[in-house]
Amino acid sequence: MKTFRLGGIHPHDNKQYAAHRPITEVPLPQKAIIPLVQHIGAPAKPIVNKGDKVKVGQVLAEAGGFVSAPVHSPFSGTITKIDSTVDAWGMRMPAIFMDVEGDEWLETIDTTPTINPVCKLDSKEIIQKVTEAGIVGLGGACFPTHVKLMPPPGKKAEVLIVNGVECEPYLTCDHQLMLEHGEEIIIGIQILMKALNINKAIIGIEKNKPDAIEHMQELASRCLGISVQPLKLKYPQGGEKQLIDACIKRQVPSGALPIEVGAVVDNVATIYAVYEAVQKNKPLISRVMTVTGKEVKNPGNYKVRFGTPLADVLALAGGIPETTGKIIGGGPMMGRAMNNVDMPANKRISGLLLLPDSESHRKEAANCIRCAKCVQACPMGLEPYLLAKLAGLQRWDDMEQHYIMDCIECGCCMFTCPSNRPLLDYVRMGKATVGGIICARNAK
């Protein structure tokens, strides 16, 4: 069975808590905060004003540049103010505040459950629809999807690789989405193949989801050019460079994008959003997220509209257990601890993981013993022990020369370290600093 070639680890997947829980819709809140930074790139620019009445699906803010995405209203109601808010990690960002007064949708949006299998649009029209719908990568990166569909001059897509891996422990939202909306995902794949002018797509799914593999294989068998590739369990196989290597045995060069080897990678949730945008005229206003943990009362997969307080989602899952020591936005490997659950759901958050206090404290760090386990585990072929040391010494130029910007922040290094060193913390700090230096240098 296929997998990627370099590094990787095998953490316990802990998916049994939320696996096979049907997708449940979270009720509408009374008040909502819609962040204008829900993607990589420039913030969206508001085009509504205080006092405006809006409907579900209406544009609230337009894209702030090519690498940006518009933001749409997930609710109908009244805009109360345009201000800034603090997200669940303490970062301040612009946002639109509104009173939710109902669920009145724009008349142009098809809200029926009917599946529309035939796409009558051409490539340019599909890309325009995806752009206008504000679709971004829902696998974690939140990179605007329309940018992937417009390769630079001289580059040509050859294959669409569909990410159904969901290798992050505990999370099950993509798994359940494939089981409940596999047909729409297949139609979305065909739409993207048409947009990219290609005739080949591969759906990568890890072998711990045998029902999803069987279901998607049965659906894909009816469609020319689409196949399902079962993959060995290995983290971080959901990383796009690792998935490309696993599926087509091509390695993306340092500093390059997947299009360099003829590949475009999209998550299954992103592709479902493409289907809804193109066939239903529905913008991206919600996503499925997993709420889980060993002591969560009602773990499961919840469909949440952006702007809904995360506290409302947690309440539907049975509330926060008294034994909870840490709440993580995302999974345990790449997610980050949250300090505020009153903040709104957005396109970036794929899950809420509630860790018991007994599992929430780091062990005391000891000296590095030069065992090189972090080097063996790194799926990007880096030297995490060295990068962490350079970050501590603030040797930013040396970090750049040692390919810090290739780091995907997967946490494999920290997971394997027998000395419990905070390698990922140092590497993240160093990568952010070096990235800022590179941006400043390029702007001159």
Side-chain angles (χ1 to χ4, degrees), residues 144-193:
T145 301
H146 68 272
V147 179
K148 288 186 177 183
L149 303 180
M150 303 168 70
K155 306 297 179 185
K156 172 98 171 54
E158 299 173 20
V159 58
L160 172 66
I161 297 180
V162 179
N163 189 346
V165 172
E166 199 167 46
C167 62
E168 182 80 49
Y170 285 96
L171 301 187
T172 59
C173 49
D174 287 349
H175 182 184
Q176 194 62 30
L177 192 66
M178 286 187 283
L179 294 179
E180 294 190 27
H181 296 285
E183 191 170 349
E184 294 97 314
I185 291 169
I186 291 292
I187 297 168
I189 292 170
Q190 293 174 309
I191 290 170
L192 288 182
M193 291 169 68

Side-chain angles (χ1 to χ4, degrees), residues 329-350:
M333 297 301 297
M334 296 186 73
R336 301 192 184 196
M338 305 169 68
N339 55 25
N340 187 352
V341 296
D342 292 322
M343 285 300 100
N346 59 55
K347 298 175 185 179
R348 295 177 181 272
I349 302 177
S350 58

Side-chain angles (χ1 to χ4, degrees), residues 80-135:
T80 57
K81 65 177 177 177
I82 299 172
D83 202 345
S84 63
T85 188
V86 177
D87 71 9
W89 296 277
M91 299 294 291
R92 186 161 290 279
M93 62 179 62
I96 293 174
F97 295 68
M98 68 181 296
D99 287 338
V100 179
E101 297 165 352
D103 197 25
E104 185 180 356
W105 291 64
L106 288 176
E107 294 77 9
T108 54
I109 299 174
D110 180 0
T111 59
T112 68
T114 306
I115 295 176
N116 301 332
V118 180
C119 175
K120 299 179 181 179
L121 305 183
D122 62 25
S123 176
K124 287 185 178 180
E125 291 171 329
I126 291 170
I127 295 172
Q128 185 63 28
K129 279 273 192 182
V130 170
T131 305
E132 293 173 352
I135 297 175

Side-chain angles (χ1 to χ4, degrees), residues 284-349:
L284 182 58
I285 58 170
S286 65
R287 70 163 299 153
V288 180
M289 68 167 61
T290 302
V291 182
T292 185
K294 294 179 180 177
E295 298 179 24
V296 174
K297 186 177 179 180
N298 298 313
N301 304 293
Y302 295 90
K303 187 175 183 180
V304 187
R305 295 199 199 181
F306 308 132
T308 302
L310 293 173
D312 290 8
V313 186
L314 290 169
L316 197 61
I320 302 174
E322 292 183 1
T323 55
T324 300
K326 188 176 290 185
I327 300 176
I328 295 175
M333 297 301 297
M334 296 186 73
R336 301 192 184 196
M338 305 169 68
N339 55 25
N340 187 352
V341 296
D342 292 322
M343 285 300 100
N346 59 55
K347 298 175 185 179
R348 295 177 181 272
I349 302 177

Side-chain angles (χ1 to χ4, degrees), residues 408-420:
I408 61 173
E409 303 180 32
C410 63
C412 288
C413 54
M414 200 161 161
F415 182 87
T416 58
C417 180
S419 296
N420 305 308

